[in-house]
Amino acid sequence: MRTTVVLLVLLGCCLTGVQLQNEEREISQSTTQPNIWAELKELRDMVTEQRVELAVTKAELAELKKENEVLTNMVLEENELGSVEARLRTSELQRENEESPKVAFSAALNDVGYVGTSNADKTLIYTKVFTNIGNHYNPATGIFTAPVGGVYYFTFTAFGGNRHRNIGSFLYRNAERMVSVQDHHKSSYGEDQVTNAAVLQLEEGDQVSMRLNPGFSVYDNSANLSTFSGFLLFPM
């Protein structure tokens, strides 16, 4: 009887030890096994965050694309506006050029020999006309009449071939002397040529001519040595 009781006690102790070992093994396994659900949750949060960042990036790209389209349209509109303004300006210049009168003349004294050394002013008449656009220079009187108010350019040349003569001529606007050329002969050879020019602002109807003063002369022949020219720079 006593032996039986001892065996039962020993058996119970053995069972209890085995059970404790099994429980310790399970606790150890549960402690070292990774938390899959926590990792899945973390992974899900990362995916969600990346989706949000991607959505923000797409929105920013869409906004940049929109701004780029706006800027592109603005540039195109400015270019188109500049092109239109350039065409309008070109058209305006063409119209102004078409409406602006064409005025230019050039003439020589021709085969007159010496003219001058009289006791009074003498208007030089340049009868050999090279150019007379607009016909505002009169070869019968030697006078140019301004068809419109504006700025004009005039140039003239005087030749002398006698050492005993003083050569010179004078550009007049109406009755006002503007510029002149002169050469007092002292050389033994006696041939000289002088030239001058002026830019004048004229009113419509103003007259420009070349004159000799007493004591001066000019010379010309078929070589066209003494000339008078002018043209309109721009109207005003």
Side-chain angles (χ1 to χ4, degrees), residues 34-78:
N35 192 338
I36 296 176
W37 295 110
E39 293 181 358
L40 289 174
K41 182 177 181 300
E42 184 179 354
L43 182 61
R44 182 189 63 187
D45 292 341
M46 291 176 59
V47 172
T48 302
E49 183 179 354
Q50 289 179 355
R51 286 180 177 175
V52 172
E53 292 178 354
L54 181 60
V56 172
T57 302
K58 288 183 177 179
E60 292 176 349
L61 288 175
E63 185 66 23
L64 289 174
K65 182 179 180 181
K66 183 178 179 180
E67 292 178 358
N68 185 57
E69 290 177 352
V70 171
L71 291 175
T72 301
N73 291 334
M74 290 177 61
V75 171
L76 292 175
E77 290 176 359
E78 289 179 357

Side-chain angles (χ1 to χ4, degrees), residues 201-213:
Q201 182 175 347
L202 304 179
E203 300 295 333
E204 181 179 354
D206 281 350
Q207 294 184 335
V208 178
S209 61
M210 298 298 304
R211 300 184 192 178
L212 290 176
N213 275 14

Side-chain angles (χ1 to χ4, degrees), residues 13 25 29 38 107 134 215 234:
C13 289
R25 188 180 296 109
Q29 291 178 353
F234 53 86

Side-chain angles (χ1 to χ4, degrees), residues 108-113 126-128 219-222 224 226:
L109 286 175
N110 208 357
D111 296 328
V112 294
Y126 298 82
T127 59
K128 188 175 183 179
Y219 175 86
D220 200 6
N221 56 26
S222 59
N224 307 315
S226 297

